[in-house]
Amino acid sequence: MSRKSTRSRSTFGTAYPATSPGRRHHHGAARVWAVAVTTACAVAYAVPATAADGTTEPVVSRGVTIPDFYNPPAELPAANGALVRHEALPLGLSIPGLDGRPMPGTATRLMYKSTDSNGAPVAVTGAYIEPSAAWKGGGARPLVAVASGTMGQGDQCAPSLALEHPLTLNGETVSVGYEALAIYRLLSAGTAVVVTDYAGLGATDRLHTYVNRVDEGHALLDAARAAHAVPGASITAESRTGLYGYSQGGGASASAAELQPSYAPDVELSGTYSGAPPADLTAVMKGIDGSALAGALAWSINGFAQSDADLRNVVEANINDAGKAALKDASTMCVGDAILGYGFAKSNKWTNSGKSIGDVIAAEPRAQAALDKQRIGNLKPAGPVRLATGVQDDIVPHGQARQLAVDWCRKGADVSYKPVVLPNLGDKLLTNHIAPLITDQGDAISWLTDRLSGRPATSNCWSLPVQP
């Protein structure tokens, strides 16, 4: 009999009922809730109902049943990156190859051990994909660890589930696996790919700590470690490793490149692509507030309220009933749900004072300090980095991403800075954020595969003073 854990929503001290409309819930008459509050993480966890025959009941999030695979065990291995479990993962977009192997590759669903921002062990899920294509670059077949862009906060939004179900549309949730384009392009180049779901996205024991730089950086580095333990994987100890990410993923890959020397010195990085990284969350909060993706503001507040007591206390003291309802509702949403439910919402409707959440945090030293700890750019990244940012990006603002390049260059990092110059495609509509992802993706993957082939990078830090 396996023991399964899941969470009830209690970001601000009150356990959210699992039976509320559209929420994560358990079916069955017996519901036994055990709430544990710790100083490290003040989210209440619920032990799901156990039926009379001793079996546990499935976790359902907005009408999607989360596979039992995603329920972490009570005990985790000691080593970061150690595999907890694995199983075959059917790819939703796949065709038979001439040699009998599916194209673009064969996928394995993963659960592995990582360490969160409070130093506690955490189970993280993801996927490893063994490519059908041969690697034609130099050296052994390389590995690219992919950090997905924003998918949401509900477990049904997990990138590994999106690989299996590229479109989830059931009347309660909308999730699109848009990262498949980059992943499949990498596979077609012959690189092995491992994708992280991040802490709490997919795995049912905690809330996803959206844009928490330490959680994300650790999860990505440990995914690279876990990939080497996948049975049948063709990567070896000689395989070069690269990181790839845009938007939320760009922040994760940037953070991982900074944390690698201290957290994962065994994961030597040949190159990192960081697109539109949210390096300064104070600026990013202002960018997403009132935008088409305003729901992401709720995800970030939910995640930090879970992991940082100072920020949680400030938000709890300042949020009104409408804000609490919005934060609770958003906690199981995917991107599509958030756009439909909270597109262009303004957070001043969620506070007691009528000030935006950004202004509330700025006025509270404890809360601002919590965000300052999330700043990317205080450490020198390992290996060469390509940082791309759309000059018109008003969701993950261009200025703060460019500043990250400046900060890294001042530390002597090997930075290839790429401003993506496009016309303004509509204020706060997401278009200025998405267009650079599409237009720059080919160049980004070419740059990364060059690094994985052993070709040296050329820093253009010298040009930053004249770059937009």
Side-chain angles (χ1 to χ4, degrees), residues 19-32:
T19 52
S20 59
R23 311 305 301 170
R24 172 186 314 275
H25 58 279
H26 305 282
H27 298 289
R31 288 175 172 82
V32 181

Side-chain angles (χ1 to χ4, degrees), residues 58 274 404:
S274 173
L404 176 59

Side-chain angles (χ1 to χ4, degrees), residues 206-463:
R206 63 178 64 199
L207 192 67
H208 171 42
T209 46
Y210 182 70
V211 298
N212 181 306
R213 71 173 181 90
V214 175
D215 281 13
E216 292 181 341
H218 286 182
L220 188 59
L221 291 167
D222 287 326
R225 285 166 158 161
H228 284 268
V230 174
S234 61
I235 53 175
T236 69
E238 288 72 43
S239 296
R240 295 185 175 98
T241 301
L243 307 178
Y244 178 98
Y246 187 90
S247 191
Q248 180 186 6
S253 63
S255 174
E258 288 191 347
L259 295 171
Q260 181 272 336
S262 60
Y263 182 76
D266 53 306
V267 183
E268 186 174 349
L269 299 178
S270 295
T272 295
Y273 167 65
S274 173
D280 179 353
L281 294 186
T282 299
V284 174
M285 279 187 169
K286 294 177 181 177
I288 62 177
D289 202 343
S291 75
L293 197 58
L297 182 61
W299 297 332
S300 61
I301 294 298
N302 281 339
F304 290 126
Q306 175 180 238
S307 59
D308 193 294
D310 284 338
L311 195 148
R312 179 177 66 252
N313 292 338
V314 168
V315 174
E316 186 174 27
N318 287 276
I319 207 80
N320 61 23
D321 288 344
K324 290 177 182 177
L327 294 175
K328 171 186 172 183
D329 189 34
S331 67
T332 52
M333 284 184 164
C334 298
V335 168
D337 316 336
I339 292 174
L340 294 173
Y342 295 101
F344 307 104
K346 295 186 177 180
S347 67
N348 61 0
K349 305 296 185 183
W350 299 346
T351 63
N352 295 321
S353 65
K355 296 179 180 178
S356 70
I357 287 179
D359 287 341
V360 167
I361 290 174
E364 291 281 355
R366 292 174 300 155
Q368 189 59 54
L371 284 193
D372 289 345
K373 287 191 296 185
Q374 298 298 326
R375 181 72 177 262
I376 305 172
N378 291 322
L379 300 171
K380 179 182 175 180
V385 180
R386 185 180 194 272
L387 193 157
T389 166
V391 297
Q392 299 288 351
D393 196 334
D394 52 357
I395 303 295
V396 181
H398 165 69
Q400 59 86 44
R402 184 187 186 281
Q403 185 60 47
L404 176 59
V406 172
D407 293 341
W408 277 347
C409 285
R410 286 173 176 167
K411 289 177 169 56
D414 183 348
V415 179
S416 298
Y417 170 69
K418 173 63 177 179
V420 182
V421 180
L422 295 169
N424 188 333
L425 300 175
D427 294 341
K428 301 290 188 179
L429 297 177
L430 275 178
T431 43
N432 288 324
H433 181 61
I434 294 172
L437 163 67
I438 298 169
T439 59
D440 186 58
Q441 190 173 84
D443 289 344
I445 290 175
S446 293
W447 180 91
L448 188 55
T449 52
D450 280 348
R451 307 291 79 74
L452 296 171
S453 293
R455 300 185 184 97
T458 302
S459 173
N460 66 351
C461 283
W462 61 269
S463 70

Side-chain angles (χ1 to χ4, degrees), residues 36-77:
V37 179
T38 68
T39 57
C41 180
V43 172
Y45 295 95
V47 178
T50 301
D53 61 1
T55 61
T56 54
E57 299 180 9
V59 175
V60 179
S61 184
R62 292 191 177 265
V64 177
T65 299
I66 309 302
D68 190 65
F69 181 95
Y70 291 84
N71 301 316
E75 300 293 333
L76 294 173

